[in-house]
Amino acid sequence: MNFDPMEILRNASGIQARMEEMKRAVENLSASGFAGGDMVRVDMNGKMQIIGVKISPDAVDPADPSMVEELVKAACADAYEKIKARMNEELSSKMGGLPPGFFGA
Protein backbone atom coordinates (compact mmCIF):
# COMPACT_ATOMS: atom_id res chain seq x y z
CA MET A 1 0.00 0.00 0.00
CA ASN A 2 1.43 3.36 -1.02
CA PHE A 3 1.08 6.35 1.25
CA ASP A 4 0.62 9.58 -0.69
CA PRO A 5 0.61 12.68 1.55
CA MET A 6 -0.36 14.79 -1.45
CA GLU A 7 -3.60 12.81 -1.77
CA ILE A 8 -4.51 13.80 1.77
CA LEU A 9 -3.87 17.45 0.93
CA ARG A 10 -5.97 17.20 -2.24
CA ASN A 11 -8.88 15.79 -0.24
CA ALA A 12 -8.55 18.24 2.66
CA SER A 13 -10.78 20.92 1.15
CA GLY A 14 -13.49 18.34 0.39
CA ILE A 15 -13.33 16.99 3.92
CA GLN A 16 -13.48 20.50 5.36
CA ALA A 17 -16.51 21.36 3.19
CA ARG A 18 -18.29 18.18 4.33
CA MET A 19 -17.56 18.98 7.99
CA GLU A 20 -19.02 22.48 7.54
CA GLU A 21 -22.10 20.98 5.91
CA MET A 22 -22.57 18.59 8.83
CA LYS A 23 -22.07 21.42 11.33
CA ARG A 24 -24.78 23.52 9.64
CA ALA A 25 -27.15 20.55 9.51
CA VAL A 26 -26.70 19.86 13.22
CA GLU A 27 -27.07 23.53 14.19
CA ASN A 28 -30.42 23.65 12.38
CA LEU A 29 -31.89 20.79 14.43
CA SER A 30 -34.32 21.45 17.24
CA ALA A 31 -36.16 19.39 19.83
CA SER A 32 -38.65 19.96 22.62
CA GLY A 33 -38.49 18.40 26.05
CA PHE A 34 -41.48 17.98 28.34
CA ALA A 35 -42.10 17.33 32.02
CA GLY A 36 -45.00 17.16 34.42
CA GLY A 37 -47.47 15.78 31.93
CA ASP A 38 -46.48 18.48 29.42
CA MET A 39 -46.96 21.29 31.95
CA VAL A 40 -43.38 22.40 31.21
CA ARG A 41 -41.87 22.55 27.72
CA VAL A 42 -38.28 23.45 26.84
CA ASP A 43 -37.15 23.99 23.23
CA MET A 44 -33.48 23.44 22.39
CA ASN A 45 -31.50 23.93 19.19
CA GLY A 46 -28.58 22.00 17.76
CA LYS A 47 -26.13 24.35 19.46
CA MET A 48 -27.55 23.04 22.77
CA GLN A 49 -29.06 26.46 23.48
CA ILE A 50 -32.43 26.74 25.15
CA ILE A 51 -34.53 28.78 22.75
CA GLY A 52 -37.88 28.61 24.50
CA VAL A 53 -39.58 27.74 27.78
CA LYS A 54 -43.30 27.37 28.35
CA ILE A 55 -44.71 26.79 31.84
CA SER A 56 -48.38 26.08 32.37
CA PRO A 57 -50.01 28.06 35.18
CA ASP A 58 -51.10 24.68 36.60
CA ALA A 59 -47.42 23.87 37.24
CA VAL A 60 -46.92 26.89 39.48
CA ASP A 61 -47.60 26.43 43.18
CA PRO A 62 -46.51 29.57 45.06
CA ALA A 63 -46.12 27.45 48.19
CA ASP A 64 -43.71 25.06 46.45
CA PRO A 65 -41.46 26.80 43.89
CA SER A 66 -39.04 23.87 43.96
CA MET A 67 -41.61 21.80 42.07
CA VAL A 68 -41.39 24.14 39.06
CA GLU A 69 -37.62 24.13 39.29
CA GLU A 70 -37.56 20.32 39.16
CA LEU A 71 -39.99 20.27 36.22
CA VAL A 72 -37.82 22.74 34.28
CA LYS A 73 -34.71 20.64 34.96
CA ALA A 74 -36.52 17.50 33.82
CA ALA A 75 -37.77 19.19 30.64
CA CYS A 76 -34.25 20.44 29.89
CA ALA A 77 -32.85 16.95 30.34
CA ASP A 78 -35.57 15.55 28.05
CA ALA A 79 -34.82 18.15 25.35
CA TYR A 80 -31.09 17.44 25.66
CA GLU A 81 -31.56 13.70 25.17
CA LYS A 82 -33.85 14.27 22.18
CA ILE A 83 -31.51 16.73 20.45
CA LYS A 84 -28.57 14.41 21.09
CA ALA A 85 -30.48 11.55 19.45
CA ARG A 86 -31.43 13.74 16.47
CA MET A 87 -27.80 14.82 16.09
CA ASN A 88 -26.72 11.20 16.11
CA GLU A 89 -29.26 10.36 13.40
CA GLU A 90 -28.27 13.36 11.26
CA LEU A 91 -24.53 12.79 11.52
CA SER A 92 -24.88 9.06 11.02
CA SER A 93 -26.84 9.56 7.80
CA LYS A 94 -24.37 12.14 6.50
CA MET A 95 -21.36 9.98 7.34
CA GLY A 96 -22.70 6.95 5.51
CA GLY A 97 -24.59 5.05 8.16
CA LEU A 98 -22.40 4.92 11.21
CA PRO A 99 -23.81 2.70 13.95
CA PRO A 100 -26.43 4.15 16.33
CA GLY A 101 -24.83 5.67 19.40
CA PHE A 102 -21.53 6.35 17.63
CA PHE A 103 -21.70 10.02 18.63
CA GLY A 104 -22.64 9.27 22.23
CA ALA A 105 -26.42 9.46 21.87
Side-chain angles (χ1 to χ4, degrees):
M1 181 165 134
N2 293 334
F3 176 71
D4 184 3
M6 294 308 292
E7 185 65 28
I8 293 172
L9 292 175
R10 284 190 287 273
N11 291 330
S13 64
I15 293 169
Q16 185 176 9
R18 190 166 180 192
M19 292 299 289
E20 285 298 318
E21 175 190 341
M22 289 189 304
K23 180 181 172 189
R24 281 190 303 276
V26 166
E27 287 176 350
N28 290 325
L29 294 176
S30 64
S32 297
F34 299 91
D38 297 348
M39 289 192 298
V40 175
R41 172 185 170 163
V42 172
D43 301 317
M44 184 176 285
N45 66 19
K47 293 179 182 180
M48 301 295 188
Q49 298 167 325
I50 295 173
I51 55 175
V53 176
K54 301 283 186 215
I55 300 174
S56 167
D58 296 337
V60 179
D61 179 358
D64 187 13
S66 66
M67 182 179 80
V68 175
E69 294 166 356
E70 291 300 317
L71 290 174
V72 170
K73 282 188 349 188
C76 287
D78 186 41
Y80 175 77
E81 290 302 320
K82 288 177 180 175
I83 198 72
K84 204 165 74 166
R86 296 209 47 215
M87 290 171 116
N88 189 46
E89 291 169 9
E90 183 73 22
L91 292 174
S92 178
S93 71
K94 292 211 178 290
M95 303 239 352
L98 291 173
F102 185 81
F103 297 100

